[in-house]
Amino acid sequence: MANITVSPTRMELTRLKGKLRTAQRGHKLLKDKRDELMKQFLETVREVRALRAEVEEELMRVHGAFTVASALMSSEAMEQALLYPKQSVVLTQTTQNIMSVNVPVYDFQTQTRSDSDIYPYGFAATSGELDTAVDALGKVFRKLLKLAEIEKSAQLMAEEIEKTRRRVNALEYVMIPNTQEAIRYINMKLDENDRATTIRLMKVKDMILKESLEEKRAETARAIRTFGDSSEAPSEV
């Protein structure tokens, strides 16, 4: 029984049995939590992979549109057109609980509801390719935000899975075996004490029987001597 010192008493045995039941129940719950987290994590990873491929494809289209627009417009004209944005957004973050893991949920609202406010310039001095690039960038922004949300969720779930795995291993390979070994040790000591007590009682019983037998023999011997003395005494006429 390594690294465990216990008192071999029945009270300690009762406490350890309760501790063992709690540890076994906690081990089962943690294993169920770990398995469910792994399922959620794998689903999230598949979603991340699909969404990342989609976002990268759309960003390539946005880059291509800006490249075409920069070829049709001078760099000074493009910089002037995009220097002062008209639209602004308000980003909010809430949390969602997934198997005791608080994952983020991002949302944003634009300052104005008009879709044309994403263009911070007049259409007369710019090319149509720039309009296409800005519109595509505005659409991909929501997907970028969603990608950040699920990637952060996957990261938090991976950290929780690792913590849960360490706890399961600590219970399975350290705490439960040590507690079971301590219970076996106490049971062994209590059995030894019971056997020693039984042997002592048997010895005491033998001593009492022996003393009782010797007393009976002594009484018998006295009775015999008394009877012998009375029979040898002279009789009176």
Side-chain angles (χ1 to χ4, degrees):
M1 187 175 57
N3 300 326
I4 289 185
T5 303
V6 294
S7 300
T9 62
R10 297 193 182 277
M11 183 178 296
E12 183 68 12
L13 179 63
T14 302
R15 187 187 71 83
L16 286 175
K17 286 182 177 179
K19 180 180 178 182
L20 179 61
R21 287 192 297 269
T22 302
Q24 289 172 338
R25 186 164 58 250
H27 177 259
K28 182 181 183 303
L29 292 174
L30 285 173
K31 281 188 68 176
D32 293 342
K33 176 184 176 180
R34 183 195 60 188
D35 295 342
E36 183 62 26
L37 275 174
M38 282 297 301
K39 179 181 177 182
Q40 296 283 345
F41 175 75
L42 292 176
E43 292 178 358
T44 304
V45 168
R46 285 192 290 267
E47 187 178 357
V48 167
R49 189 175 300 170
L51 186 57
R52 176 175 286 276
E54 186 178 346
V55 167
E56 288 178 352
E57 183 180 353
E58 293 190 15
L59 284 176
M60 289 298 295
R61 286 200 296 267
V62 170
H63 181 266
F66 272 109
T67 301
V68 173
S70 62
L72 298 176
M73 298 174 58
S74 64
S75 58
E76 292 81 4
M78 180 173 288
E79 182 179 355
Q80 186 67 29
L82 301 175
L83 186 59
Y84 300 105
K86 289 174 60 178
Q87 187 65 277
S88 64
V89 298
V90 177
L91 180 65
T92 58
Q93 175 187 342
T94 56
T95 57
Q96 179 184 1
N97 189 283
I98 299 178
M99 298 298 296
S100 75
V101 181
N102 291 322
V103 300
V105 178
Y106 299 128
D107 189 25
F108 76 94
Q109 297 293 333
T110 56
Q111 185 179 20
T112 61
R113 297 294 183 179
S114 177
D115 294 336
S116 62
D117 286 341
I118 64 171
Y119 306 107
Y121 50 80
F123 298 111
T126 58
S127 65
E129 286 74 11
L130 182 60
D131 300 342
T132 303
V134 171
D135 181 64
L137 184 61
K139 291 178 179 178
V140 79
F141 179 75
R142 291 184 179 273
K143 292 182 179 180
L144 279 170
L145 196 61
K146 182 65 177 178
L147 179 61
E149 174 187 315
I150 59 177
E151 281 190 340
K152 186 63 177 178
S153 300
Q155 177 189 348
L156 293 174
M157 282 191 284
E159 293 174 356
E160 187 66 22
I161 288 171
E162 181 62 21
K163 291 179 184 177
T164 306
R165 184 188 65 82
R166 288 198 297 267
R167 291 170 183 168
V168 169
N169 290 341
L171 287 171
E172 184 172 353
Y173 299 110
V174 179
M175 184 176 180
I176 291 177
N178 286 347
T179 306
Q180 290 174 336
E181 183 66 22
I183 290 173
R184 283 194 294 269
Y185 169 76
I186 293 177
N187 281 327
M188 180 184 67
K189 286 295 184 180
L190 292 176
D191 289 342
E192 289 180 358
N193 293 338
D194 290 342
R195 286 194 295 269
T197 301
T198 302
I199 291 173
R200 284 195 300 270
L201 291 175
M202 291 176 66
K203 287 183 177 180
V204 169
K205 182 179 179 181
D206 290 341
M207 292 173 61
I208 293 173
L209 289 175
K210 185 177 180 181
E211 291 177 357
S212 177
L213 183 60
E214 289 177 352
E215 289 178 357
K216 287 182 178 180
R217 287 177 178 175
E219 289 178 358
T220 303
R222 286 195 300 270
I224 291 173
R225 285 196 301 270
T226 303
F227 178 77
D229 293 343
S230 62
S231 60
E232 291 176 359
S235 57
E236 294 181 358
V237 179

